[in-house]
Amino acid sequence: QNTYVILTADHGLAVGEHGLMGKQNMYDCIIRVPWIIAGPGIKNGSRVDELVYQHSNFATTCELAGIPVPKAVEFPSCVDLIKGGHTPKHDAIFSRYRDFQRAVRTKDYKLIVYPKAKIVQIFDMKNDPWEMHNLASHPKLTSVKVQLTQRLHQFQQELDDELELGNVSEFADQGHVPVQEQI
């Protein structure tokens, strides 16, 4: 009646997906984390389809426990989402892997940039959740590519990420290029 159970974990692991093994890429099989919460006021079997960072776990547990969230905490509580609300917490999510890859994901699209290999990928996350069809060269997505690239640069500025991406609009749009071949 007064206990919440939270199951979460580190990021995923490619076990053959996209021909890869390990954690060295930006596909959703790697960057998504499980976050399952059960307890009072949470409808059994409900699912929330919003962009959140695992860092919101602290603020969320504070709010669930009735403890004030410290002012220094930068990530928002997701209690309203897990109790049936629908107010998005983020317009996009930023991901990075060393100095090899950067990604920005919205609910609709994901842009992955491989700056050293000068390769870019864009996936339609609603129609292609397994990220099998790179749409980076699709003429109808030119404005999406520009918007995602701008949002990626914005994240880099906000987070002091100094990796120089180069001119993403000139990068090749090859399909699934295993990271091992790029490095």
Side-chain angles (χ1 to χ4, degrees):
Q1 295 177 0
N2 65 355
T3 302
Y4 290 91
V5 177
I6 300 171
L7 173 80
T8 190
D10 192 349
H11 50 79
L13 179 69
V15 184
E17 290 183 58
H18 299 281
L20 301 169
M21 296 294 286
K23 299 181 179 185
Q24 71 286 359
N25 64 71
M26 297 287 105
Y27 299 121
D28 264 16
C29 63
I30 296 301
I31 64 174
R32 289 186 64 168
V33 298
W35 198 28
I36 301 169
I37 303 175
I42 300 172
K43 183 180 174 187
N44 287 339
S46 62
R47 180 185 171 115
V48 176
D49 186 23
E50 290 295 337
L51 298 171
V52 297
Y53 287 98
Q54 188 179 34
H55 305 307
S56 284
N57 201 31
F58 183 74
T60 301
T61 55
C62 285
E63 187 175 340
L64 288 171
I67 300 168
V69 178
K71 291 184 183 353
V73 174
E74 296 180 13
F75 291 86
S77 168
C78 294
V79 168
D80 60 324
L81 291 175
I82 63 175
K83 291 199 173 185
H86 300 286
T87 304
K89 300 298 175 187
H90 306 281
D91 68 327
I93 298 290
F94 173 77
S95 298
R96 60 181 278 174
Y97 178 68
R98 300 176 56 181
D99 65 342
F100 303 134
Q101 300 164 51
R102 294 296 183 269
V104 62
R105 187 195 193 292
T106 65
K107 285 185 84 168
D108 297 327
Y109 296 99
K110 183 193 292 177
L111 169 77
I112 303 174
V113 177
Y114 306 87
K116 288 186 176 187
K118 296 187 187 312
I119 293 173
V120 64
Q121 296 176 312
I122 295 178
F123 298 101
D124 178 339
M125 300 307 294
K126 288 193 177 206
N127 296 307
D128 182 23
W130 291 97
E131 300 165 285
M132 300 303 293
H133 306 285
N134 182 9
L135 303 174
S137 64
H138 197 289
K140 291 184 178 181
L141 292 182
T142 301
S143 65
V144 169
K145 186 176 185 179
V146 169
Q147 291 169 358
L148 291 173
T149 302
Q150 289 171 345
R151 187 64 177 105
L152 181 57
H153 287 299
Q154 183 182 354
F155 271 125
Q156 285 189 288
Q157 287 181 327
E158 292 170 3
L159 300 170
D160 295 324
D161 177 15
E162 297 178 355
L163 180 64
E164 179 58 44
L165 297 181
N167 189 349
V168 174
S169 65
E170 295 179 0
F171 285 6
D173 62 349
Q174 296 176 358
H176 300 289
V177 179
V179 174
Q180 295 87 339
E181 292 178 16
Q182 299 171 32
I183 300 172

